[in-house]
Amino acid sequence: MAWALTGEVGSGKTSVLTALSWRAQLGASVTVEVVRGRTDEPGSFATACSLCEQVAALVGRDSPLASTAGAATSRFALFTQVSEWLTKCAEELRLLLLVDDWERVDAGSKELLAFVCATMPAEAPVALVVTSRESAAPQGAACVALPKLALADVQRLVRAHDGHDDAERAQRVHERAGGNLSFTLALLPRSSDHADLPASLKKHAHAELDRLGPSSTLLVRTRGACLVPPGPSPHRQCG
């Protein structure tokens, strides 16, 4: 079975995934082995290989990907081998497979893991949980969307941080962060909500701009200049 924690950048997906990992290992009434896949290695089936290698080390069984990923094996045959192998491993261990940033997973691993989740017996104690933007969630996964913070949520955070209620400050933080959890937490410690933006917000803004084409970037920057309150110069105007 597969689940996808979805939400925009900074919504807390990775934090929830980490908390899930800790709870599975420390708070479960039965033993659960947690395996985290790597998404920073190049190559076909890289993420799937990293998961299977760790499971193989736990159960003492050779991973089918270790010997056949590069061989002249049909895709269906390979995927079936991995699914059957994980099913056998699950007879010895309860497995929680975690993958952060599904967008960075190689295409081969995405196909293989989707196949495994679709073909493993429903009673097999294996679960795959990934984080992703909503548009990139794995096919067939049950999506759990992390919502943006409401104004009432920010008011509670301000109260916890400052030690007292401040409706105006909460309103400003909520408007500037747009309900984004990480951006809200970055703004809370600042002495003035009108100060320069935190580095995390600047980094996110630049990353989003880099994804646009030159003409779109110019349009966004020009629009931003039009929204800046005019200073003493009479020439600071946009038509």
Side-chain angles (χ1 to χ4, degrees), residues 3 6 19 30 36 75 99 101 122 127 133 156 163 225:
W3 287 270
T6 64
V30 295
R36 298 192 72 136
R75 218 171 182 78
V99 179
D101 290 333
R133 296 188 182 184
R156 286 192 288 270

Side-chain angles (χ1 to χ4, degrees), residues 9-129:
V9 175
S11 59
K13 302 185 297 295
T14 299
S15 297
V16 173
L17 195 71
T18 300
L20 175 63
S21 171
W22 292 344
R23 177 160 295 191
Q25 295 176 87
L26 303 176
S29 57
V30 295
T31 301
V32 178
E33 295 293 345
V34 178
V35 179
R36 298 192 72 136
R38 297 178 62 88
T39 58
D40 57 353
E41 296 180 351
S44 182
F45 305 113
T47 299
C49 280
S50 70
L51 287 170
C52 289
E53 286 171 2
Q54 295 173 71
V55 173
L58 290 170
V59 300
R61 297 172 180 265
D62 291 336
S63 165
L65 287 176
S67 57
T68 60
T73 305
S74 74
R75 218 171 182 78
F76 178 78
L78 175 61
F79 288 9
T80 301
Q81 288 177 30
V82 174
S83 181
E84 293 176 348
W85 177 79
L86 277 174
T87 300
K88 285 290 186 182
C89 293
E91 294 176 357
E92 303 177 31
L93 297 172
R94 293 175 174 85
L95 296 170
L96 176 59
L97 311 179
L98 305 179
V99 179
D100 200 8
D101 290 333
W102 183 255
E103 298 83 6
R104 299 174 58 190
V105 174
D106 61 275
S109 292
K110 287 181 177 179
E111 292 181 25
L112 191 155
L113 292 173
F115 180 91
V116 167
C117 291
T119 57
M120 285 189 68
E123 65 274 13
V126 179
L128 171 68
V129 182

